[in-house]
Amino acid sequence: MVNPVVLPLEQVRNPRDLGGYIGDHGRRVKMHRLLRTGKISNITLHDQQFLLDYGLTKIIDLRSPLECHKMPDSKIPGVEHIDLSISTDDNTQGGKKDLAKTFEIYRHDQYAGFKMMCDRYRSHVLKEHAQNSIHKILEVLANTEDGAVLYHCSEGKDRTGIVTVVVLYLLGVDMETIRQDYLYSNYMLNDYRALRDKKMQEEENLCFRANMRILGSVSDAFLDTALIAIEKDFGSIDNYLKEKIGVTSELRDRLRELYLEN
């Protein structure tokens, strides 16, 4: 497997270029075309200049409207910004409105966060809103002939992860490579989780902290939940992409033409 390309950004979590992976007929994914990251709110001038020099032309924000309102993306001159939420829920709050009640559950049930994440992944592939957004994301990519498209959620691991699975699959990358790219978020977010856990040590019990580690991580089980839901309802990823995401052979070929080396 090709090692993930990590971008040297100062204040953006989990920044990577999808370039280098082997796709359809042995053709590599192009560099400087597809970028996946966490949120880009209050980015440094260094990060802004790096992205501009790297060829950034479009940003797709996968976060909910509430998340975008609370922590809007930094505006980068000359870069088109597109809001295409995967979920209408505020995913940074565990998908629950009553935080006090949810947090109390987290203090007593170490598996609550795990169950919630599985439910979230299932909804990211089965809910109509998510399916429509994924289709629109692919349309944006199909209409971007030059420059880099950056798409992101909050931590660049779950919603960004699902979109990356779809994009790499359509480009012909094998599923094990796709899975390893998805799981690489754990390595990228190690310091973030450790810092958050350190802040909680004096105020929260181990059960709560265990749930927070789950919420800040990716897992084979989360991705498998989405893939199993797709197979159960549609028989295969290909059927799902055709029936629910609206991927035609023309759209797939267009993406391969634009994002794979000749």
Side-chain angles (χ1 to χ4, degrees):
M1 174 185 160
V2 178
N3 289 327
V5 178
V6 178
L7 302 177
L9 299 181
E10 296 175 336
Q11 201 165 308
V12 179
R13 292 189 191 120
N14 207 359
R16 287 180 269 161
D17 187 327
L18 296 185
Y21 291 133
I22 307 299
D24 181 57
H25 285 84
R27 299 157 67 195
R28 289 184 181 273
V29 179
K30 291 179 179 178
M31 295 287 296
H32 294 258
R33 291 289 276 141
L34 295 166
L35 312 182
R36 55 169 297 174
T37 75
K39 64 178 179 292
I40 57 169
S41 308
N42 302 315
I43 65 171
T44 63
L45 288 176
H46 167 276
D47 288 355
Q48 176 175 296
Q49 193 58 52
F50 176 87
L51 290 170
L52 288 171
D53 293 342
Y54 206 77
L56 183 64
T57 58
K58 295 178 182 177
I59 293 172
I60 302 175
D61 194 335
L62 308 177
R63 298 176 301 163
S64 68
L66 180 58
E67 289 171 89
C68 294
H69 176 73
K70 290 196 300 184
M71 295 197 73
D73 279 350
S74 298
K75 301 301 180 184
I76 301 177
V79 175
E80 181 182 358
H81 192 278
I82 305 164
D83 289 326
L84 286 172
S85 64
I86 295 297
S87 170
T88 54
D89 293 330
D90 180 358
N91 277 207
T92 62
Q93 302 296 342
K96 306 291 184 181
K97 293 182 179 179
D98 188 349
L99 274 184
K101 184 177 179 180
T102 301
F103 283 176
E104 194 57 35
I105 294 173
Y106 286 170
R107 294 182 183 104
H108 296 92
D109 179 2
Q110 75 174 88
Y111 300 111
F114 178 85
K115 295 171 186 175
M116 189 275 292
M117 290 293 284
C118 289
D119 288 342
R120 182 184 293 176
Y121 270 73
R122 197 175 292 108
S123 72
H124 287 349
V125 295
L126 295 185
K127 281 195 173 181
E128 186 176 358
H129 178 88
Q131 294 168 351
N132 290 338
S133 290
I134 292 172
H135 175 81
K136 291 175 184 176
I137 291 163
L138 297 176
E139 289 287 351
V140 171
L141 296 181
N143 287 290
T144 305
E145 295 190 2
D146 301 295
V149 179
L150 182 155
Y151 56 93
H152 75 89
C153 52
S154 179
E155 296 166 356
K157 63 183 183 70
D158 302 313
R159 291 164 289 186
T160 298
I162 288 292
V163 170
T164 302
V165 168
V166 170
V167 170
L168 290 180
Y169 183 84
L170 287 172
L171 293 180
V173 178
D174 72 273
M175 279 304 298
E176 186 56 34
T177 297
I178 292 172
R179 183 179 293 273
Q180 293 302 321
D181 176 83
Y182 163 79
L183 292 171
Y184 200 75
S185 286
N186 277 337
Y187 171 77
M188 295 293 291
L189 295 169
N190 271 339
D191 292 344
Y192 159 71
R193 284 194 305 275
L195 181 62
R196 187 167 71 170
D197 185 62
K198 187 175 182 179
K199 292 178 180 178
M200 294 179 185
Q201 286 180 8
E202 295 182 3
E203 298 180 2
E204 294 293 351
N205 66 14
L206 187 57
C207 191
F208 184 93
R209 288 162 54 202
N211 276 299
M212 289 300 106
R213 277 190 286 272
I214 286 292
L215 297 181
S217 306
V218 291
S219 166
D220 275 314
F222 301 156
L223 179 57
D224 285 335
T225 294
L227 296 177
I228 289 169
I230 287 172
E231 184 174 298
K232 181 180 178 182
D233 283 15
F234 305 101
S236 70
I237 297 178
D238 292 313
N239 287 342
Y240 167 75
L241 292 173
K242 180 180 179 181
E243 295 174 17
K244 286 299 178 181
I245 307 301
V247 175
T248 61
S249 57
E250 290 79 12
L251 176 57
R252 182 201 63 199
D253 291 346
R254 173 66 172 167
L255 292 171
R256 292 180 178 183
E257 174 190 346
L258 288 175
Y259 296 97
L260 294 177
E261 296 176 354
N262 294 325

